[in-house]
Structure formats: structure tokens, C-alpha cells
Amino acid sequence: MTGGKPPEFYQTQHKKRLSWMPWLYYRLKPKNLQWAKPWQDDIQQALIQLETIEIAEQVFIAPEAALFAEPGRAITLGAESFVAANCFLHGPLVIGREVAINHSCSFDGGKAGITIGDQTRIANQVKLYAFDHGMASDMPIYQQGNRSKGISIGRDVWIGAGAGVRDGVTIGDHAVIAMNAMVTKDVPEFAIVAGNPAKQVGDRRDKPIGYREKTTGISDK
């Protein structure tokens, strides 16, 4: 007992904290992993039984996240990746190692799919939609067919909060997408892009060594 409350009382709040800030899961002390690891195992095993999903070691998936992977729309999650609360993920999706998907993101792989490279960090409320409607004027949009080219995101990419990426876009390794940017065309390696539609405003290779970690703390997420 702690402060007159049973341990489960505090675990409930701790689980909520982990769901919204999953990077904290990887900092848990052994005494907390004793309950957190079985909790995660149960969540992930249920998903594996219900969906076409492959989950590697040391993955964290918030119970509030919605992952849907029917046959033909598989989801693969690489080791040490996490999916935070209130995310919607619909395959096909291939997510690499050490990928961070923060809360309230929405990804739909369409038919062609979305691939996300290792060590990419995706902030909250990012939208990735790998399909598009037809827009001919002679019939309602909802009656028109979809097309899907797919979205490819490289490794060590940082996508800022609220950004969107349209179908058919490739984002090169080490690129940075600014907060609320709308990416409508391919982004070169190391490019920093911003705006709607997004345009290149810089290059990561021009930044001082260690700039990201020392000034933003983004490495925590």
C-alpha cells in the first residue's frame, strides 16, 4: 500500500502516462516492468490473434491505439518502435526499428502501402494517407474510385506535429518535415521542408553537430 491506496490505483495512472508518452516505457525500472511487460504482452498477443500483424521485440502499443490489418493489409512493427494513444493505423504498413509514432496520428496504407524507415520520429497528429479519390465533375466524389501509389519515408526522418503527407510521396533519409507542413512532392535526403505546400527551407547538414539533441530534446521522443 502507498498513501493508503493499493498499488493498482497508481498503476492505472502510470499506464495512462505510458500510453501518451511511450518513450517512458523504455526507462522503467525492473520493479515497474514486472507489471508493465505482461500488460504489453497481453495487448500485443490480442492484436496478433485478431489482425494480420507482426510485432518485433520491445515494441510498445498503447491500448487506446487502433490498429487494423486485415489479410492483404498487413502491419509490421520493428523492434523498439512505439505507437501512442489515439493513433489510427490501417495497413499495409511496414514500420522499421526504433520508430516513434506519437499520439493521435492517422495512417492509412491504401492499396500500395506505407513504409517508414528505422529511427524515424513522428510527432502527434501526423496524417499519412496512401490513397486519393477521383475528382471528376460528372459524378459524386464518394462514388469515384481510389488510386494508391504509396508513401515511402526514409530512415532518421523527423516529421513535426500536425504535418500531412499525400499519396505518392517519397521522403528521403535524414529529412525534417516542419510542424503543420503539407508534403505534396518528394523530399530529398537531409532536406528541411516547411509550409503548405511544403518547400525546402534548409538542409540538416548545415546544422551544428548535436544541435537537435541539445536544443530540442527530440531524441527523447
Side-chain angles (χ1 to χ4, degrees), residues 37 78 96 117 133 175 180 202 209:
K37 181 68 165 58
H133 283 285
N180 293 323
I209 293 173

Side-chain angles (χ1 to χ4, degrees), residues 69-221:
E70 56 267 29
R73 287 181 173 267
I75 294 176
T76 300
L77 280 160
E80 299 181 67
S81 293
F82 68 70
V83 181
N86 283 15
C87 286
F88 164 76
L89 272 60
H90 186 202
L93 298 171
V94 178
I95 297 166
R97 296 176 57 92
E98 299 178 85
V99 172
I101 302 173
N102 283 280
H103 70 84
S104 308
C105 289
S106 185
F107 302 170
D108 195 307
K111 292 182 179 179
I114 297 169
T115 60
I116 302 172
D118 296 346
Q119 299 180 324
T120 283
R121 322 309 282 174
I122 300 177
N124 62 293
Q125 298 182 332
V126 168
K127 285 83 65 181
L128 308 177
Y129 284 92
F131 69 92
D132 206 349
H133 283 285
M135 294 185 287
S137 61
D138 59 344
M139 62 189 303
I141 286 177
Y142 82 93
Q143 294 180 351
Q144 300 185 39
N146 296 334
R147 64 152 174 85
S148 178
K149 298 179 180 179
I151 294 172
S152 178
I153 298 171
R155 67 180 303 273
D156 184 38
V157 173
W158 180 18
I159 302 182
V165 180
R166 70 168 296 175
D167 182 41
V169 166
T170 295
I171 297 176
D173 295 345
H174 316 295
V176 175
I177 312 302
M179 183 183 294
N180 293 323
M182 181 55 62
V183 184
T184 60
K185 61 183 180 180
D186 291 354
V187 177
E189 292 186 355
F190 292 98
I192 302 171
V193 303
N196 184 0
K199 297 180 180 179
Q200 186 165 351
V201 296
D203 190 297
R204 274 185 66 185
R205 289 166 291 195
D206 297 333
K207 297 296 182 184
I209 293 173
Y211 171 86
R212 182 171 69 169
E213 291 80 6
K214 290 181 180 178
T215 64
T216 70
I218 193 65
S219 59
D220 288 346
K221 302 177 184 180

Side-chain angles (χ1 to χ4, degrees), residues 1-6 10:
M1 304 285 283
T2 304
K5 300 289 186 181
Y10 295 95

Side-chain angles (χ1 to χ4, degrees), residues 15 25 35-50 55 61 63:
K15 287 176 180 178
Y25 180 75
W35 57 261
K37 181 68 165 58
W39 170 59
Q40 270 300 297
D41 289 344
D42 288 345
I43 291 167
Q44 295 177 27
Q45 285 303 311
L47 280 170
I48 289 169
Q49 291 176 19
L50 294 168
I55 303 172
I61 301 174

